[in-house]
Amino acid sequence: MTTSTEQCACGGWTPISESRLLDLIKRAETSMEAPAKALWELVRLPNAEIWQQHPWADEGCGFWVLATFSRRCLYFNDVTQGFAVSPFRNWGNIDHFEPDPTPLDELIERLTASACESA
């Protein structure tokens, strides 16, 4: 697990840069409704981390994980160029590859709606 693409020596594609990722996050935050923004602030990690996801992220040394909750992680999928949620058993390892990309604000809105329904 790393917090920088500079440590990647895999030789494949390079994960999205941290600065580009932060730009995507800032744009998404501006369009989040108050409940979604509150959930986002609750689950997001202080700093994004690169986690492993075998075999899809091997070539690029991993995917950026932005948040964790209920043994799930929210990550940026460089292969599909979107955000996704996966279960995880071990910190630093994404268990499931999600092939359907979703914008971050839309994904957080869905999670917020789901949390409200189960409350």
Side-chain angles (χ1 to χ4, degrees), residues 59-74:
E59 190 176 323
C61 296
F63 293 138
W64 286 106
V65 170
L66 311 174
T68 60
F69 54 96
S70 301
R71 299 301 286 175
R72 292 188 281 170
C73 61
L74 187 153

Side-chain angles (χ1 to χ4, degrees), residues 45-67:
L45 296 173
N47 297 300
E49 299 178 358
I50 295 180
W51 285 19
Q52 299 305 301
Q53 199 295 314
H54 303 292
W56 295 100
D58 290 349
E59 190 176 323
C61 296
F63 293 138
W64 286 106
V65 170
L66 311 174

Side-chain angles (χ1 to χ4, degrees), residues 39-102:
L39 177 64
W40 171 242
E41 292 299 328
L42 183 66
V43 300
R44 74 181 296 178
L45 296 173
N47 297 300
E49 299 178 358
I50 295 180
W51 285 19
Q52 299 305 301
Q53 199 295 314
H54 303 292
W56 295 100
D58 290 349
E59 190 176 323
C61 296
F63 293 138
W64 286 106
V65 170
L66 311 174
T68 60
F69 54 96
S70 301
R71 299 301 286 175
R72 292 188 281 170
C73 61
L74 187 153
Y75 67 98
F76 181 77
N77 183 329
D78 290 281
V79 175
T80 64
Q81 295 295 299
F83 295 88
V85 172
S86 168
F88 72 92
R89 285 170 279 164
N90 299 309
W91 192 266
N93 290 298
I94 302 167
D95 291 345
H96 174 74
F97 176 85
E98 176 56 55
D100 298 321
T102 305

